[in-house]
Amino acid sequence: MRTSSFLLLIIVAFLSAIGSPATGCGERMGNQLWNTTIENGWKPIGNINDQHIQELIHWAVLEFGKHVNCVLKFNKVVSGRQQLVSGMNYKLIIDASDIGGKDDKYKAEVYEQEWAHKRQLLSFAKVK
């Protein structure tokens, strides 16, 4: 009985932790990717102005806006890295403006399987 109560408590705590949305433009959403060094397969994106990269970050900004109390206007991609896995991981630094017109830099981490039409916003946070 004691073990099952403890297990239930852990499950409830876990579910409430992952279900709590961020509440503003400066809030972090999600968790950073693991193994984020160049040595672990991360390579600079050759052309950050590529149409696919631009569309991907537009999607990430909109997806972020669905989960937080914040409206951002995407301005440009500043830099980015990618990692080939069973799809592609992207780490993108972007410049965006909040509703008041204040510019800030944000870091978006996205996983994509282009052939399966699958995208997942792993994290999105203001760069400090």
Side-chain angles (χ1 to χ4, degrees):
M1 178 70 174
R2 193 177 216 181
T3 304
S4 61
S5 296
F6 180 70
L7 183 58
L8 180 62
L9 181 63
I10 289 175
I11 291 171
V12 169
F14 175 77
L15 291 176
S16 68
I18 64 170
S20 300
T23 59
C25 292
E27 297 294 322
R28 172 176 294 280
M29 180 187 138
N31 297 312
Q32 291 186 336
L33 290 171
W34 55 95
N35 298 331
T36 57
T37 62
I38 293 291
E39 296 81 34
N40 291 315
W42 287 97
K43 296 179 181 171
I45 295 173
N47 180 8
I48 58 173
N49 296 313
D50 177 76
Q51 182 179 354
H52 180 73
I53 298 300
Q54 297 296 310
E55 193 275 323
L56 185 69
I57 201 62
H58 276 283
W59 172 85
V61 169
L62 289 173
E63 193 69 15
F64 174 66
K66 291 179 187 177
H67 299 282
V68 297
N69 185 20
C70 175
V71 176
L72 290 176
K73 177 187 167 276
F74 166 70
N75 296 325
K76 66 178 181 175
V77 177
V78 176
S79 65
R81 299 191 300 170
Q82 61 190 9
Q83 179 189 47
L84 182 62
V85 289
S86 63
M88 190 69 76
N89 284 325
Y90 294 94
K91 292 176 82 174
L92 301 160
I93 304 296
I94 67 161
D95 181 70
S97 305
D98 65 17
I99 199 160
K102 183 177 180 243
D103 286 350
D104 271 310
K105 299 230 181 327
Y106 294 85
K107 179 179 178 181
E109 295 180 342
V110 178
Y111 170 71
E112 179 180 49
Q113 282 184 331
E114 203 170 351
W115 67 90
H117 306 288
K118 177 182 176 183
R119 285 183 179 164
Q120 183 178 4
L121 182 59
L122 301 173
S123 74
F124 195 102
K126 189 182 288 189
V127 175
K128 297 181 183 198

